[in-house]
Amino acid sequence: MAPEKRFETISGDELYRRLAVGKPVVVLDVRTRTEFEQRHIPGSLLIPLQDLESRCSEVPNSGTPIAVVCEVGMRSKSACTLLSEHGFHPLYNVTGGLKRWTGPLASGLEPDKHCRHGITPSSFLVENYDLLRKGLVLDVAMGEGRNAIYLATRGFDVDGVDVNPKAVAAARAAARRLGAPIRALVGNCEDGTYEIPFSSHDSIIVFNYLHRPLFDGIKNGVVPGGVVIYQTFTKEQTRFGRPKNPDYLLDPAELKSIFADWEILRYREFIGPARSRGEMRAVAGIVARKPA
Ligand SMILES: C[S@@+](CC[C@H](N)C(=O)[O-])C[C@H]1O[C@@H](n2cnc3c(N)ncnc32)[C@H](O)[C@@H]1O
């Protein structure tokens, strides 16, 4: 690796070798969504260069090396400069970019048909994670772990549970690759196979999942003074696509009434383009603190 000012360079072959032997590396792709959709390094995080300034809080900054890649190595160089100015470290510009990459490639924007976000955390979590009570967090129905991993990189001790063994395996692999330790469990939150232990977690997060009978378990699972962040689709979502089953869709202000006996720190009902894919979506999100 040749030293440069505030970042170093790494060849595609060396990056591939590190990934192949399981060394933790965050691969950040700063090309456009269209380029990424055509081909990308499996497991990489997409933040186009023009969005990087506003979205750099999504990049894990826990000391795990960040390898920045683009098509030929120019945009990634600008991205390294920008990230170094924001205190990210250690940083590597992948020389020659995807043009010279000889390792495996993936295509599409959807890593798994259940979970379409890769390792990009929810923007609602990025904006509000500092309101969580520090300590042990549970991510219910965590999918491939994008939010659990984000919190692990922010110093939380993280449990995650999901019914889909493939998603849990992907979460474990991504967490290992990114050097972000999480405890990822396969468990069904709806049939009693997995029950949230009483007063067990400082905070609980739930994204894009709704099973109304679980609300009590989530509220009881948090310690006094603990915090829940919950965001999922509202009934307006049927105008734009799935889910369509009303069992999986919130009524207007439903989250507010569920947490009416808690302190509501943030609440929003939102219709707008999903940041990750540009499609319209209708969601409601809440940050609520349990009385101490
Ligand atoms: C749309 S994904 C959301 C994943 C993650 N929360 C996120 O936002 O990236 C919904 C997740 O709920 C999980 N799920 C569905 N039913 C479940 C159950 N009964 N118990 C636990 N997880 C479940 C699915 O396997 C899937 O990973």
Side-chain angles (χ1 to χ4, degrees), residues 114-115 141-143 146 162-164 187-190 207-209:
H114 299 281
C115 297
M142 69 166 175
R146 63 190 179 119
D162 198 283
V163 74
N164 178 353
N188 190 327
C189 300
E190 299 176 16
F207 283 84
N208 301 329
Y209 171 73

Side-chain angles (χ1 to χ4, degrees), residues 34-260:
T34 311
E35 290 172 292
F36 186 89
E37 192 165 13
Q38 283 161 1
R39 64 194 179 114
H40 57 262
I41 298 173
S44 48
L45 167 66
L46 168 67
I47 305 184
L49 181 59
Q50 74 267 22
D51 299 340
L52 191 57
E53 178 101 54
S54 59
R55 292 179 53 192
C56 64
S57 58
E58 293 170 26
V59 182
N61 190 15
S62 53
T64 300
I66 302 166
V68 187
V69 68
C70 67
E71 198 57 30
V72 295
M74 293 308 291
R75 280 172 285 178
S76 53
K77 198 169 178 183
S78 307
C80 281
T81 305
L82 191 152
L83 288 170
S84 68
E85 284 162 4
H86 283 78
F88 286 83
H89 176 80
L91 285 166
Y92 296 92
N93 181 29
V94 182
T95 51
L98 266 283
K99 270 243 152 52
R100 301 235 302 258
W101 171 257
T102 53
L105 286 164
S107 61
L109 291 168
E110 303 181 9
D112 180 284
K113 68 174 186 287
H114 299 281
C115 297
R116 301 159 164 193
H117 309 281
I119 58 163
T120 308
S122 158
S123 54
F124 192 62
L125 181 65
V126 173
E127 285 155 22
N128 293 304
Y129 80 92
D130 52 344
L131 296 171
L132 291 171
R133 185 181 150 108
K134 287 275 177 300
L136 183 60
V137 184
L138 173 65
D139 185 353
V140 173
M142 69 166 175
E144 296 183 351
R146 63 190 179 119
N147 295 319
I149 289 169
Y150 180 74
L151 292 180
T153 69
R154 294 298 183 269
F156 289 84
D157 187 13
V158 187
D159 289 331
V161 61
D162 198 283
V163 74
N164 178 353
K166 266 181 67 185
V168 172
R172 286 182 184 141
R176 235 187 345 266
R177 194 179 67 247
L178 299 173
I182 62 171
R183 279 175 299 275
L185 289 181
V186 178
N188 190 327
C189 300
E190 299 176 16
D191 68 357
T193 319
Y194 178 84
E195 284 188 4
I196 302 172
F198 183 79
S199 203
S200 54
H201 287 79
D202 294 289
S203 298
I204 294 183
I205 64 167
V206 191
F207 283 84
N208 301 329
Y209 171 73
L210 180 62
H211 177 62
R212 289 183 170 83
L214 205 58
F215 277 135
D216 279 347
I218 291 167
K219 291 179 76 177
N220 290 332
V222 168
V223 299
V227 172
V228 166
I229 299 185
Y230 204 129
Q231 178 173 275
T232 196
F233 298 101
T234 64
K235 294 221 157 112
E236 297 284 333
Q237 177 64 19
T238 53
R239 288 161 46 194
F240 310 117
R242 297 172 66 183
K244 298 229 180 245
N245 183 338
D247 289 348
Y248 305 147
L249 297 168
L250 291 165
D251 290 315
E254 182 174 355
L255 283 176
K256 268 204 213 169
S257 78
I258 296 294
F259 290 94

